[in-house]
Amino acid sequence: MNITQAKEEIKNTVRAYLSKKADGTYRIPRIRQRPILLMGPPGIGKTQIMEQIADECGVGLVAYTITHHTRQSAVGLPMICEEQFGEKAYQVTEYTMSEIIASVYRAIRDEGKPEGILFIDEINCVSETLTPAMLQFLQCKTFGNIEVPDGWIIVAAGNPPEYNQSVRMFDMVTLDRVRLMNVEAQLQPWLWYAKEHEIHSVIQSYLQLRPKNFYRVEMDVDGLQFVTARGWEDLGTLISTYELLEIPVTEEVIAEFLRLPEVCADFHAYYELYYKYKDDYGIAQILQGQVDSEIYERLLHASLDERISVINLLLDALKEPLHVVFEKKQFVNTPESAAIAKSIEYAFDFCEDAFADSDGKEMLYFVTGLTMSKEAAVFLAMNRCDRYLMYNERYLGGSRRNELLNQLKG
């Protein structure tokens, strides 16, 4: 499954595990509430979805990366106590409360949420001394001799062995007590996430054209080289800030995030072309209905990459004014909304004239981009655009969309 599907399944699990009978007891008893074990490559958003799930379900969240812990902090510290057995007093060893369990109780006290999610990341990468405690945690829902409180659902995450040399395999006894979800890195769910979180448009544009470069892990003579979803997101955040501060985005800077030289060089070349296209094609003028005839001639002979880049630049130029009206919640009957509606019409004029010779790939991208943007989707729902509705039905209403997308990927 992909990360979006995993998120929905975990949300369903939270709802099911916290569902109660009329007498206040849980419909699924504690002993049958299997912990979730989320296995997938690093950097695909496992931690981020836990924050979203907790927020959307209205429950607490305590998250730990277990590799940062020692056995003492996870299980508790030994202390000497005295007990009476028969007529004689003996000194025995007991343990203080686990730091992790204590954090759950603090969250209950401080946030006022008696139910929640205890998320343990990198659970299969612990040290040898901590491995028995992790197995006990998954099997018995305890750290040391202290149980995880009722109403707190356990979700653990780990990496497959091909991504981490420190991985330890779980035995059958443990796996038979968890719900195992294998998550793969897939681009399309990430693009929805990227739209929602406004990850830099140049990255979204590039990955639409180079989907194979979204997530790659390779080993060669120079060692492990990789590109991950986390790397793209962090790079996008840096690019946005660098551009705001007018700091150049060099190939050396990109290489700090994209650790596969081939992808780094390709993206750097695309980044420079992207802004060259913005100037060369006069994107701002297109949205004002002012298009030089030479632009149409150039696009007639342009590569698909260049054509799709122009579409993404149009979408990017529409994003800022759409965001303004979205924040103000002034979608209709204002000068700003009227200007945006005109710009969208001009964009459709341009796409119809520029790409009349194609089989619809460019228009598909434009309409899909509008549909994927929540600001654009709300605006178009409140400001009727007949051509948007027509092309949306033509390209997104059935199998034609998948057919065109498959052609583009090929």
Side-chain angles (χ1 to χ4, degrees):
M1 64 176 66
N2 61 50
I3 196 70
T4 302
Q5 293 168 328
K7 175 186 172 182
E8 289 306 307
E9 185 55 37
I10 295 171
K11 282 178 64 176
N12 291 338
T13 300
V14 170
R15 291 178 55 206
Y17 282 6
L18 299 184
S19 176
K20 294 178 181 177
K21 302 177 184 176
D23 61 4
T25 60
Y26 291 107
R27 295 182 186 278
I28 301 177
R30 175 189 175 91
I31 194 172
R32 298 294 171 223
Q33 293 185 5
R34 289 191 175 200
I36 293 171
L37 181 56
L38 199 61
M39 296 296 292
I44 61 171
K46 296 190 289 291
T47 303
Q48 286 92 332
I49 67 164
M50 299 315 306
E51 296 169 355
Q52 296 166 22
I53 291 166
D55 181 62
E56 293 169 20
C57 292
V59 299
L61 174 67
V62 172
Y64 275 96
T65 299
I66 199 63
T67 50
H68 298 166
H69 279 267
T70 63
R71 185 180 185 279
Q72 287 76 17
S73 63
V75 175
L77 292 169
M79 59 182 183
I80 305 299
C81 299
E82 190 172 280
E83 287 198 40
Q84 190 81 20
F85 298 114
E87 298 180 355
K88 190 172 180 180
Y90 294 89
Q91 288 187 329
V92 296
T93 300
E94 292 189 2
Y95 288 86
T96 60
M97 181 179 284
S98 158
E99 178 187 320
I100 297 172
I101 300 294
S103 293
V104 174
Y105 281 107
R106 288 192 197 101
I108 294 172
R109 179 193 66 194
D110 297 342
E111 300 175 19
K113 294 178 178 176
E115 299 173 324
I117 299 168
L118 174 56
F119 177 61
I120 305 295
D121 199 8
E122 298 184 2
I123 194 167
N124 61 341
C125 302
V126 298
S127 65
E128 188 173 349
T129 58
L130 198 53
T131 298
M134 289 302 99
L135 297 179
Q136 179 194 30
F137 167 64
L138 290 175
Q139 293 174 17
C140 307
K141 304 174 189 172
T142 63
F143 276 114
N145 57 358
I146 308 294
E147 292 184 338
V148 175
D150 286 344
W152 279 74
I153 295 159
I154 296 169
V155 181
N159 300 324
E162 59 265 32
Y163 298 103
N164 194 322
Q165 295 180 349
S166 303
V167 162
R168 297 175 181 276
M169 302 301 292
F170 290 119
D171 56 33
M172 178 180 170
V173 174
T174 302
L175 291 174
D176 196 34
R177 286 172 167 80
V178 300
R179 294 180 59 179
L180 179 61
M181 297 183 187
N182 291 307
V183 185
E184 299 176 348
Q186 294 184 8
L187 176 58
Q188 196 55 50
W190 189 86
L191 286 176
W192 284 98
Y193 169 86
K195 283 282 184 188
E196 184 178 350
H197 291 80
E198 298 184 345
I199 295 172
H200 200 292
S201 55
V202 70
I203 287 176
Q204 297 181 49
S205 178
Y206 175 80
L207 290 176
Q208 286 174 330
L209 294 168
R210 306 281 195 279
K212 293 179 181 178
N213 288 342
F214 170 56
Y215 201 105
R216 289 173 57 180
V217 179
E218 299 177 6
M219 178 70 76
D220 63 14
V221 293
D222 295 320
L224 188 65
Q225 299 181 341
F226 54 89
V227 179
T228 69
R230 182 190 292 123
W232 286 115
E233 181 171 4
D234 291 346
L235 175 60
T237 303
L238 186 83
I239 289 175
S240 296
T241 306
Y242 267 35
E243 290 179 351
L244 186 66
L245 299 175
E246 298 183 349
I247 300 172
V249 179
T250 65
E251 187 170 351
E252 289 74 20
V253 168
I254 294 170
E256 295 167 8
F257 296 85
L258 309 182
R259 306 297 296 275
L260 191 60
E262 170 194 336
V263 177
C264 174
D266 190 53
F267 175 72
H268 179 252
Y270 182 80
Y271 177 82
E272 294 192 329
L273 273 176
Y274 191 75
Y275 286 103
K276 184 175 184 298
Y277 293 153
K278 184 176 183 179
D279 294 332
D280 290 353
Y281 281 98
I283 299 300
Q285 287 71 38
I286 290 173
L287 294 179
Q288 295 171 6
Q290 303 167 7
V291 188
D292 193 306
S293 59
E294 293 180 1
I295 298 298
Y296 295 122
E297 182 66 24
R298 175 172 175 175
L299 279 172
L300 183 63
H301 304 288
S303 67
L304 179 61
D305 281 13
E306 187 167 338
R307 289 177 167 216
I308 297 302
S309 296
V310 171
I311 294 295
N312 279 304
L313 283 165
L314 287 173
L315 292 167
D316 195 32
L318 289 167
K319 182 173 68 176
E320 186 174 346
L322 281 166
H323 182 73
V324 171
V325 298
F326 187 85
E327 289 295 306
K328 292 181 178 179
K329 294 183 170 56
Q330 297 177 346
F331 301 105
V332 295
N333 301 326
T334 67
E336 292 88 348
S337 62
I340 293 171
K342 271 191 175 180
S343 293
I344 292 174
E345 292 291 352
Y346 285 139
F348 273 109
D349 288 342
F350 171 76
C351 290
E352 287 177 341
D353 293 339
F355 308 120
D357 66 314
S358 75
D359 58 359
K361 300 184 185 75
E362 296 85 358
M363 189 64 82
L364 167 67
Y365 259 95
F366 183 61
V367 175
T368 300
L370 291 174
T371 305
M372 287 177 66
S373 164
K374 63 180 179 182
E375 291 92 346
V378 171
F379 183 88
L380 288 165
M382 302 182 73
N383 295 270
R384 182 183 177 90
C385 175
D386 290 334
R387 283 186 291 182
Y388 170 74
L389 295 173
M390 179 184 71
Y391 286 115
N392 188 66
E393 175 63 26
R394 180 182 300 178
Y395 295 130
L396 305 184
S399 60
R400 177 62 175 154
R401 178 179 183 273
N402 291 331
E403 179 185 331
L404 287 169
L405 286 174
N406 287 333
Q407 289 177 21
L408 286 167
K409 291 176 182 178

